[in-house]
Amino acid sequence: MASRGRARGRAGRGAPAPGGGSNGGAAAGPVGGGATAAPAPRGRGRGRGAAAVSDTPPTEQLAGMNIQAPAGVRERGNRFATPLFRPENVKDTRGNTGQKIDLLTNYFEINVRDNKPLYQYHVDFNPVVKADSVKLRKALVHRIECLRNRHLFDGMILYCPDRLNETEFVVQKKEGDRVTISMKLTQEVTTSSDQFIQLVNIIFNQIADRHMGLDRIRRDYFNPGKAVVISQHKVELWPGYEFSIRKYSHGVLLGLDVKHKIVRTDTVLSAMNQMVSSGRGGQQENIRRELMGAIVITKYNNKTYRIDDVIFNLSPKDVVQLRSGPISYVDYYKNNYNLTIRDLNQPLLLSIVKTKDPGTGERTEKQIHLVPEVCYMTGLTDAMRSNFRVMQDLAQYTKQDPEKKKRTLEEFRQTVESSTEARDLLQSWGLEVSPAILELDGRKLKPEQILMKNGQPFPCDARKESFDNITRKNFVIQSVDINNDYLIICTSRDVTHSNTFKDTCAKVGPACGINIQANGKVVSINSDRANDFIEAIRSNITSNTKIVICLVPNDRKDRYDAIKKHCCIEQPIPSQVLVTKNLQPKKAMSVVTKVVLQMNAKLGGELWSINIPMQGVMFVGIDTYHDSGSNKSVGGFVASMNNACTRYFSKTTWQESKQELISQLQTCTREALQQYRKLNNAFPQRVIIFRDGVGDGQLLAVKEIELESIKKALHELPQMPNLVFTVVTKRIQQRFFQKQGNRLNNPGPGSIVDTKVTSDALFDFYLVPQSVGQGTVTPTHYNVLAFETNLQPDHLQQIAFKLCHVYFNWTGTIRVPAVCQYAHKLAFLVGNHLNKDPSPQLANYLYYL
Amino acid sequence: MIPVIRQDPRFADAEDEDEYQSRRSNPLIRDNRTCRLKEVESSDLVKFEPPLYIQRYARVVEHCKTGQYRTIADFGTAELTFVQYLKNLDFVNQIFAVDIDRNLLNSQKHRCRPQMFDHLNKRSEPLNISVLCGSVLEFDSRLHDLDCICAIELIEHLQKDDVEKFSAALFGRYQPKNVIITTPNKDFNVLFEFEPDQMRHWDHKFEWTREEFRTFCEGVTTKYDYKFDLFGVGDPPSEHQTVGPCSQGAVFTRQASKLGSSSLEKFPTEVYETLYSVDYPVEDKSLTPDYHLTNEIIYQCNQIGIAEYQEQGDEISVISIAHLQTFPSIDQYRVSDAHIAELARATEHLRVMEDGLSILVQNVPDSPSAPYWGFSDEKNDSPPAPYWGFSDEENDGAGPSYNYHVGAEELW
């Protein structure tokens, strides 16, 4: 399974331990639950990890940055801090073109009473209570009467809403022993500090956990008591919330999104058995691919684990070393949880759990083995995702339209309001959640016009911003004549399919303006083995062959990999793989139309364009791909080569270890600039870069490393072009609902938001690029890190929207600027299928589409 | 609120701050008894694995299992640890967790909240857990006539004078069908090499030898209509057999089927404060086996169909009912092929062939307009629109008018 998760370093693995972790646990109860279970933030800047040490190789430095942000700018582990990323030269970050629209957003204002600061104390115990007995330390502090329910304490540092009159307290241990607790005021936490935001988050987590009866899974909270059971798919949907409190330009806001956790009601073991019984070859590989990255809930300790591997050569009969001695997994579960493991031959699951020493803050990784029989799986597997019935039945509940979503958000606020304990807690901290969700203004940009052959305009469907109908016009700007110069490889069983394909091509091609005829060469082979496909390609390509088309009977990855490796590396030629089931009569017309367009794009044809009233501009898209199987990640770099945004240059880079950062951007940029000059006889005057696939914690590294290496390449030119560098994020929490009369709808494509939920520390805006038929539309976030240009924010907003129209695999808008999607496709092809750099001969083609 | 005491009273006689500090921080000076952290239940001579407290809970749970007790109270519940064991018994309907320490209960009460897996693995019998704050010497009508009251390592914390009152409350008024009491066996203490009069825990008011405990039990049974059986937990090492088990216990069983006249149930009072009460998720009994079987059939047909679609591109799969019967999950219902056909016919998605022998399942959406083209090159393009047909939203009248503050062209 492709993992796009954050990079993970794997160091210092401890000895494997079975599911329970510590073996002292008695019953299947939650551990802790003591006085103040909240992990209070690390307030002091002690012992920050050395992010960049000069004598480590550069790749390792980069890897280090993923784990810990460099010192000085971000406190380690503080994901609520927003460092200042707004380019210094930018004063006004707002645009003003377009039609004003009234919006609501999924945020509540948090009113902070009187802007009163919070107080931070350092806590000492006498006689000394060891720093690692956090539970005891918390329990003792909990005994201080005047602090009850109005403090946060992580074992070292205590926060409370008022300044303490007394700083020394004597409490009695359970054993009757007296302990003196002394508090030393270390600082006042002002409401404008990042620390304050972090504390408010902890308080709200506490409310969700204790007073709303929600269960935490990873960072989100769910209510299994309100589960929707979908028995025919063996899943339950747990409604829940994802929330975070951050500071925005409008103040402290509680961002809330409705989430659903999908939980399988059968165990991981039965899911594995199901995979085996429906199995195709390579079962272990299949199981591994399906399970890796999945989150499981255990049957005994209410914890969740992420599966990092499946270990087929271990079974519950095997023995694990615990502090108390060796014990088999079967006996461990029997003794500690009174659970009987029935299947003694099942493989074990591996989870790598990161823990932090509460005293030293040192992070270690621990391997934990889990028994599939006592784990429940959460989330969607690839198999479920490809099952339309499952998706259809789930969508009924998970896709909430704006009206429904707003009601769910208001329910959250009402639940908080109706709990006396939650209200008291908020009140004691001087916090208040505003009753209504936040309103703000947005703007809707004008629908774009698509430019066809000879610059003829074609209007988009205003509501959907799509242009499906364009395929009936003779529209292609510049077609590459394929005539009969194509080669089809298929199995002897699929010859009829190849005929359908050729005939349909000849029908739909000319309608779009593409010259393709029905008499290309067909080679039929006797098996569907990858090798036979490769052999047929190798021996049948002639100098005239423009493109190789492989009709394959199913979606097997190994065969697809082999074909792509051959056609992208060994014998560079554009290739098209097509599963025959898509050539069923009902679908053939629409599928072949898209394939013909796709093939033309792969050959360098120019399909459609958009008006960008700017000369000499090069758009660049960058994205990364991590393969969960290997330790490498791939960076895709794609640059536009003409004003019409129809020709592209591409390059891939490899990074050791899993990381988002791309290290060879200077070379990529330099080569793209040279190629641009070759095609345009001049270097570009503007370089506008969209970078996708960056996590919040990596912004600084992207700015300091990627942006700088791109700048270096630009400085090598006689005249430095204007540079705009924007980070694009698709997975965000913000949602917008448009008020239309007394209804709430999704804002249409081209809606822009650049107020209130933007940050003062950033130059950022939101763009709704698409329309959705069901549910709530997800806007895309644009965060500008460099803006060295005479353009206005308005220009960038419009450029971003325009570029969403020119992705040649979709006759409509996509979620990110086309260059980003191209870069994504490139990185995915190379990382997931080729595992090697493609031939440079293909660099000027969209072969990766 | 505890008053702020700047000086530890035990060292109040210290001459100056230095002496005070050094005495206070020196572990050797402190009272040997009060600084003991945990109850002594192991020593160099004896070690229990699993730890004795786990063995003890397990033993009491065994008794509850044998007796199939449905209503149980745990007196002196403290951190609700024993409740964690009890709640996994599927026949239990009611658990009262009672303690006198309100703060402790308040900080621990959430431990008995249903956990995620309790929602996934629903109980067949309902279960309510209530956390009550109150003294065992008071009477609360909710705890009258229960199946079992457990007092695990509780009695030795009572003042000797209160033991009599405790028995009266328990056996005379609460009158449960069964009582399980455990307490340390003083005979065993020789293996801990204690000093004279030393006990296993600082708060123990007494510890009983086996003889003393038996006397207590006999006293109870002469006064109240119960009989008792003794048991022990934690066998001594073989060379010290004479000292008996580390922990001793007794199961008392009520003899009278009718309750004694001294019972106070005529005056129902709920004197214990309820700090927390929670009902556990329970299976929906209204769902018939046919309901579950139907879902299993849909699930398996869907799985087979999707696999065939992905392998061969079959948009419709034909699945023989005989084949379905080979699945253990379906076979376990032991129904006829005709019955399966009947269930399949009643579903929305499945169809049954005319001969009644096979089921038809559709593997792709019916909607011809659905532009779901999963060919390999495409599989990772997220189609922006849902791929099972577009649901057209209402268009609300006139299209938008564009009042550009700055003309779009002018901008450039």
Side-chain angles (χ1 to χ4, degrees):
Chain A
M1 192 168 67
S3 126
R4 302 217 32 184
R6 313 246 317 250
R8 284 176 296 127
R10 292 189 181 181
R13 292 176 177 180
S22 73
N23 61 332
V31 214
T36 50
R42 197 138 300 289
R44 298 173 297 170
R46 73 194 140 152
R48 292 191 198 99
V53 184
S54 55
D55 57 357
T56 49
T59 46
E60 270 183 51
Q61 287 181 24
L62 293 172
M65 265 174 204
N66 278 319
I67 302 162
Q68 298 164 2
V73 177
R74 265 172 70 104
E75 280 292 330
R76 185 178 60 188
N78 184 354
R79 63 191 172 99
F80 307 102
T82 316
L84 192 70
F85 281 122
R86 182 184 290 187
E88 282 163 19
N89 57 324
V90 177
K91 296 288 168 281
D92 193 2
T93 63
R94 294 178 185 181
N96 57 5
T97 61
Q99 177 209 16
K100 180 177 166 297
I101 49 179
D102 298 328
L103 300 175
L104 295 176
T105 181
N106 54 334
Y107 279 80
F108 288 96
E109 287 169 70
I110 303 254
N111 303 318
V112 185
R113 189 187 59 206
D114 308 333
N115 274 330
K116 221 165 62 81
L118 307 178
Y119 296 87
Q120 178 188 314
Y121 291 90
H122 180 77
V123 182
D124 274 315
F125 295 85
N126 198 331
V128 172
V129 178
K130 274 194 291 179
D132 55 0
S133 354
V134 176
K135 234 169 123 178
L136 178 58
R137 284 172 157 247
K138 285 180 176 177
L140 290 173
V141 167
H142 190 68
R143 276 160 210 257
I144 301 174
E145 199 74 36
C146 70
L147 283 174
R148 182 156 297 145
N149 292 332
R150 40 193 295 121
H151 71 272
L152 290 172
F153 181 51
D154 72 345
M156 296 296 263
I157 295 162
L158 180 132
Y159 296 91
C160 64
D162 303 296
R163 198 183 189 115
L164 296 173
N165 295 325
E166 306 285 349
T167 52
E168 213 163 281
F169 304 89
V170 174
V171 297
Q172 206 158 14
K173 276 196 201 169
K174 236 171 29 184
E175 297 80 7
D177 208 4
R178 282 166 179 275
V179 176
T180 306
I181 302 173
S182 41
M183 314 266 180
K184 207 171 93 203
L185 184 67
T186 39
Q187 77 174 91
E188 290 184 5
V189 180
T190 59
T191 54
S192 60
S193 64
D194 291 331
Q195 220 175 343
F196 179 80
I197 301 294
Q198 202 172 356
L199 290 170
V200 176
N201 272 284
I202 291 168
I203 292 164
F204 271 89
N205 285 348
Q206 236 175 40
I207 288 176
D209 192 35
R210 301 264 185 82
H211 309 310
M212 296 179 71
L214 302 176
D215 279 297
R216 182 173 186 159
I217 299 181
R218 305 281 117 169
R219 283 178 179 171
D220 306 326
Y221 288 88
F222 298 95
N223 188 350
K226 287 194 177 167
V228 178
V229 183
I230 308 177
S231 307
Q232 70 264 35
H233 302 308
K234 299 197 177 175
V235 295
E236 285 187 4
L237 271 181
W238 292 357
Y241 300 100
E242 168 192 350
F243 64 84
S244 69
I245 292 113
R246 289 185 196 216
K247 211 165 59 192
Y248 293 93
S249 52
H250 190 65
V252 180
L253 301 179
L254 163 70
L256 192 63
D257 197 18
V258 180
K259 279 220 157 179
H260 287 86
K261 193 82 204 164
I262 294 152
V263 184
R264 286 184 68 133
T265 52
D266 53 356
T267 64
V268 175
L269 179 64
S270 52
M272 281 161 80
N273 286 337
Q274 189 76 42
M275 283 175 223
V276 172
S277 69
S278 71
R280 315 177 218 170
Q283 276 164 5
Q284 295 201 348
E285 236 358 88
N286 265 345
I287 289 174
R288 193 174 265 142
R289 199 167 337 124
E290 283 282 300
L291 294 184
M292 267 164 61
I295 306 292
V296 297
I297 298 175
T298 59
K299 209 168 172 173
Y300 44 90
N301 64 358
N302 212 31
K303 284 190 182 170
T304 56
Y305 298 92
R306 179 185 192 275
I307 300 181
D308 290 294
D309 203 356
V310 183
I311 307 177
F312 289 96
N313 54 14
L314 280 183
S315 81
K317 285 178 294 190
D318 283 298
V319 166
V320 60
Q321 284 294 336
L322 293 181
R323 249 172 292 163
S324 55
I327 188 170
S328 76
Y329 293 95
V330 180
D331 293 341
Y332 173 84
Y333 282 100
K334 184 74 206 162
N335 290 349
N336 287 280
Y337 299 108
N338 196 22
L339 274 176
T340 310
I341 307 286
R342 294 206 167 73
D343 185 340
L344 297 180
N345 295 315
Q346 57 191 312
L348 299 183
L349 308 173
L350 171 76
S351 179
I352 295 169
V353 176
K354 283 178 214 157
T355 47
K356 199 168 73 174
D357 185 298
T360 61
E362 197 178 309
R363 281 167 190 225
T364 46
E365 285 188 358
K366 195 164 67 173
Q367 291 194 358
I368 286 183
H369 289 155
L370 303 163
V371 178
E373 194 179 318
V374 292
C375 297
Y376 291 100
M377 217 149 95
T378 74
L380 282 175
T381 61
D382 283 355
M384 289 160 90
R385 235 176 246 120
S386 63
N387 187 327
F388 89 96
R389 214 48 98 203
V390 175
M391 297 308 285
Q392 203 167 33
D393 290 345
L394 291 180
Q396 225 181 310
Y397 303 99
T398 55
K399 304 247 168 169
Q400 299 193 340
D401 64 18
E403 292 276 354
K404 174 90 178 69
K405 203 155 226 173
K406 176 174 171 247
R407 277 198 300 277
T408 320
L409 300 181
E410 284 166 349
E411 262 168 41
F412 177 92
R413 146 96 183 131
Q414 274 153 19
T415 319
V416 174
E417 191 59 25
S418 60
S419 155
T420 334
E421 283 165 314
R423 251 193 354 248
D424 290 352
L425 185 67
L426 285 178
Q427 179 145 28
S428 70
W429 289 94
L431 301 171
E432 191 186 66
V433 185
S434 72
I437 67 173
L438 187 66
E439 301 194 10
L440 46 75
D441 288 343
R443 287 171 292 115
K444 190 169 179 311
L445 303 178
K446 202 168 72 163
E448 284 296 330
Q449 284 200 327
I450 301 301
L451 300 180
M452 308 190 291
K453 193 189 251 177
N454 305 325
Q456 272 175 286
F458 182 87
C460 283
D461 174 323
R463 211 153 41 83
K464 290 196 204 132
E465 203 70 15
S466 69
F467 38 94
D468 290 334
N469 294 338
I470 201 171
T471 54
R472 298 199 198 112
K473 316 258 170 183
N474 175 4
F475 73 99
V476 172
I477 294 176
Q478 193 193 335
S479 125
V480 174
D481 288 344
I482 303 176
N483 292 322
N484 287 317
D485 301 333
Y486 56 94
L487 171 66
I488 297 181
I489 316 282
C490 65
T491 66
S492 44
R493 275 197 297 169
D494 288 328
V495 174
T496 40
H497 281 128
S498 73
N499 291 330
T500 316
F501 179 74
K502 288 194 295 181
D503 295 343
T504 323
C505 279
K507 233 182 282 170
V508 298
C512 301
I514 292 168
N515 185 358
I516 181 166
Q517 287 158 28
N519 297 312
K521 183 173 182 186
V522 177
V523 175
S524 78
I525 52 179
N526 291 325
S527 83
D528 64 352
R529 282 201 304 267
N531 274 346
D532 293 345
F533 272 93
I534 306 301
E535 200 38 56
I537 296 170
R538 199 195 309 276
S539 46
N540 286 289
I541 287 184
T542 65
S543 56
N544 284 334
T545 311
K546 293 207 165 102
I547 187 164
V548 174
I549 297 145
C550 295
L551 300 184
V552 295
N554 55 39
D555 255 347
R556 284 190 64 145
K557 184 173 181 294
D558 55 343
R559 181 174 47 222
Y560 183 81
D561 289 357
I563 294 171
K564 286 293 168 186
K565 270 181 191 153
H566 183 82
C567 296
C568 295
I569 304 168
E570 312 290 326
Q571 199 173 7
I573 184 166
S575 60
Q576 179 74 40
V577 177
L578 182 59
V579 183
T580 49
K581 71 185 176 205
N582 291 305
L583 292 171
Q584 311 271 356
K586 236 177 11 181
K587 292 198 255 181
M589 279 291 270
S590 79
V591 169
V592 174
T593 306
K594 306 224 171 194
V595 172
V596 166
L597 292 175
Q598 194 179 8
M599 292 198 304
N600 214 260
K602 285 180 179 179
L603 288 167
E606 301 171 26
L607 302 187
W608 62 81
S609 165
I610 197 113
N611 178 36
I612 293 173
M614 239 183 343
Q615 295 300 311
V617 55
M618 179 169 94
F619 296 106
V620 177
I622 305 172
D623 199 359
T624 34
Y625 171 81
H626 314 287
D627 187 51
S628 50
S630 79
N631 257 339
K632 288 194 163 188
S633 68
V634 182
F637 178 99
V638 173
S640 72
M641 288 290 122
N642 60 355
N643 264 335
C645 271
T646 53
R647 310 200 67 94
Y648 297 92
F649 166 84
S650 67
K651 197 165 165 62
T652 49
T653 69
W654 289 87
Q655 282 77 238
E656 289 300 327
S657 86
K658 301 181 173 193
Q659 55 177 359
E660 290 281 2
L661 298 178
I662 297 181
S663 39
Q664 302 140 41
L665 276 181
Q666 192 175 353
T667 331
C668 293
T669 314
R670 191 186 292 142
E671 283 184 36
L673 290 168
Q674 293 302 338
Q675 185 66 23
Y676 189 95
R677 186 170 69 163
K678 219 158 108 190
L679 297 173
N680 297 284
N681 298 320
F683 286 115
Q685 295 150 30
R686 293 192 170 97
V687 175
I688 297 180
I689 300 172
F690 293 96
R691 170 72 161 101
D692 198 353
V694 182
D696 263 3
Q698 293 150 340
L699 273 180
L700 182 71
V702 165
K703 182 176 173 141
E704 289 187 345
I705 295 166
E706 294 193 353
L707 183 57
E708 286 313 310
S709 56
I710 289 170
K711 277 187 184 167
K712 269 186 213 153
L714 295 181
H715 275 297
E716 292 165 3
L717 300 189
Q719 197 188 355
M720 161 108 175
N722 288 344
L723 172 67
V724 177
F725 188 98
T726 305
V727 170
V728 183
T729 316
K730 296 187 292 290
R731 293 181 192 183
I732 55 169
Q733 206 186 18
Q734 286 81 2
R735 299 287 182 276
F736 301 112
F737 321 125
Q738 187 174 357
K739 287 199 283 185
Q740 284 175 321
N742 48 13
R743 268 188 60 95
L744 283 186
N745 290 321
N746 278 311
S751 299
I752 297 266
V753 171
D754 54 10
T755 58
K756 285 193 179 178
V757 289
T758 53
S759 168
D760 282 339
L762 306 176
F763 170 10
D764 63 336
F765 62 91
Y766 301 86
L767 164 67
V768 177
Q770 299 177 315
S771 81
V772 289
Q774 207 180 6
T776 313
V777 70
T778 310
T780 305
H781 184 239
Y782 292 80
N783 179 10
V784 187
L785 297 186
F787 203 65
E788 292 155 17
T789 169
N790 55 358
L791 294 178
Q792 297 300 310
D794 268 323
H795 293 106
L796 185 62
Q797 292 171 359
Q798 293 192 13
I799 285 169
F801 186 46
K802 281 170 185 284
L803 288 184
C804 291
H805 290 77
V806 286
Y807 180 63
F808 288 157
N809 251 4
W810 190 256
T811 50
T813 47
I814 58 169
R815 284 179 67 178
V816 291
V819 278
C820 280
Q821 186 66 12
Y822 287 133
H824 164 73
K825 286 288 280 186
L826 172 65
F828 183 78
L829 174 77
V830 174
N832 193 34
H833 298 298
L834 303 185
N835 295 316
K836 232 169 150 187
D837 271 333
S839 162
Q841 289 179 41
L842 295 168
N844 288 313
Y845 297 97
L846 293 171
Y847 62 96
Y848 39 83
L849 260 187
Chain B
M1 173 175 164
I2 291 177
V4 176
I5 304 168
R6 289 187 182 280
Q7 285 199 321
D8 191 323
R10 285 175 300 164
F11 313 115
D13 59 342
E15 295 277 346
D16 55 27
E17 185 67 15
D18 280 348
E19 187 196 336
Y20 168 72
Q21 286 296 349
S22 69
R23 280 177 61 184
R24 198 170 64 149
S25 55
N26 185 345
L28 294 174
I29 292 179
R30 289 179 300 154
D31 180 332
N32 195 25
R33 190 189 283 176
T34 57
C35 71
R36 193 168 301 130
L37 287 175
K38 279 188 185 148
E39 179 148 357
V40 177
E41 282 186 339
S42 64
S43 72
D44 295 341
L45 284 175
V46 269
K47 274 213 166 63
F48 294 105
E49 181 57 43
L52 187 68
Y53 76 97
I54 293 186
Q55 291 190 31
R56 189 162 46 224
Y57 285 142
R59 175 62 69 87
V60 181
V61 167
E62 270 318 302
H63 284 297
C64 294
K65 254 189 194 162
T66 323
Q68 295 277 305
Y69 305 149
R70 292 172 170 275
T71 52
I72 304 175
D74 178 28
F75 274 105
T77 192
E79 285 96 3
L80 285 88
T81 316
F82 185 52
V83 174
Q84 309 299 318
Y85 288 83
L86 287 180
K87 72 173 200 182
N88 289 333
L89 300 176
D90 47 16
F91 48 82
V92 175
N93 298 130
Q94 176 72 60
I95 299 171
F96 292 110
V98 190
D99 204 294
I100 199 161
D101 186 341
R102 179 183 286 104
N103 283 339
L104 181 65
L105 287 182
N106 265 330
S107 69
Q108 300 291 328
K109 62 187 181 190
H110 295 286
R111 284 189 73 185
C112 66
R113 153 175 147 192
Q115 305 198 325
M116 289 188 280
F117 63 84
D118 290 318
H119 291 280
L120 286 170
N121 224 350
K122 292 195 178 60
R123 300 173 55 90
S124 57
E125 289 284 321
L127 167 66
N128 172 278
I129 301 181
S130 293
V131 179
L132 307 178
C133 177
S135 159
V136 63
L137 303 180
E138 291 172 295
F139 179 80
D140 186 294
S141 58
R142 284 172 288 183
L143 274 68
H144 182 249
D145 190 23
L146 298 180
D147 284 348
C148 184
I149 289 182
C150 303
I152 299 168
E153 306 290 289
L154 169 76
I155 196 165
E156 65 275 10
H157 292 268
L158 300 175
Q159 296 295 344
K160 266 224 161 113
D161 298 346
D162 284 336
V163 172
E164 197 55 36
K165 291 184 202 156
F166 172 71
S167 303
L170 211 54
F171 299 99
R173 281 180 288 168
Y174 280 131
Q175 301 182 70
K177 296 186 182 69
N178 300 277
V179 173
I180 301 175
I181 289 176
T182 74
T183 190
N185 167 20
K186 191 177 176 182
D187 295 331
F188 194 92
N189 285 2
V190 293
L191 297 184
F192 296 136
E193 301 176 304
F194 281 168
E195 287 159 27
D197 290 337
Q198 189 181 342
M199 283 186 275
R200 295 188 194 177
H201 187 262
W202 63 274
D203 190 46
H204 285 180
K205 307 299 187 302
F206 57 85
E207 280 168 4
W208 278 334
T209 63
R210 280 167 292 170
E211 201 43 52
E212 286 166 320
F213 184 55
R214 175 178 282 277
T215 311
F216 162 77
C217 296
E218 282 165 353
V220 167
T221 49
T222 46
K223 202 160 179 187
Y224 308 98
D225 195 7
Y226 280 80
K227 75 177 179 64
F228 73 93
D229 286 305
L230 292 175
F231 66 90
V233 184
D235 291 332
S238 46
E239 64 273 25
H240 297 284
Q241 283 299 335
T242 52
V243 301
C246 186
S247 192
Q248 55 185 337
V251 183
F252 296 86
T253 315
R254 196 176 75 200
Q255 294 302 292
S257 53
K258 263 193 173 169
L259 297 182
S261 56
S262 64
S263 132
L264 293 181
E265 85 273 24
K266 291 167 236 162
F267 316 104
T269 42
E270 298 193 354
V271 298
Y272 293 170
E273 183 188 352
T274 307
L275 297 180
Y276 190 70
S277 175
V278 61
D279 290 317
Y280 269 63
V282 59
E283 268 174 23
D284 188 346
K285 289 260 175 59
S286 67
L287 302 176
T288 59
D290 273 358
Y291 170 85
H292 294 294
L293 177 54
T294 306
N295 282 319
E296 192 63 37
I297 295 168
I298 300 176
Y299 177 77
Q300 296 297 353
C301 290
N302 200 244
Q303 293 288 322
I304 297 169
I306 289 297
E308 289 190 1
Y309 174 68
Q310 278 163 1
E311 277 293 296
Q312 294 125 32
D314 299 354
E315 297 196 348
I316 290 176
S317 293
V318 181
I319 301 156
S320 92
I321 292 176
H323 175 58
L324 281 180
Q325 291 273 30
T326 65
F327 287 78
S329 59
I330 290 178
D331 178 56
Q332 61 170 340
Y333 290 91
R334 299 267 156 213
V335 296
S336 65
D337 291 3
H339 188 67
I340 289 183
E342 196 187 311
L343 295 179
R345 234 177 248 123
T347 64
E348 207 180 311
H349 300 312
L350 303 177
R351 278 178 292 150
V352 179
M353 298 278 272
E354 273 172 29
D355 58 10
L357 298 176
S358 304
I359 294 174
L360 288 179
V361 60
Q362 191 156 351
N363 305 323
V364 287
D366 325 290
S367 153
S369 69
Y372 175 47
W373 18 298
F375 46 91
S376 305
D377 282 7
E378 267 308 319
K379 67 184 163 194
N380 256 59
D381 273 359
S382 49
Y387 47 77
W388 45 81
F390 301 96
S391 72
D392 270 334
E393 289 159 281
E394 299 154 51
N395 195 345
D396 33 19
S401 62
Y402 290 91
N403 311 317
Y404 280 81
H405 303 290
V406 183
E409 296 308 319
E410 192 185 316
L411 177 67
W412 299 92

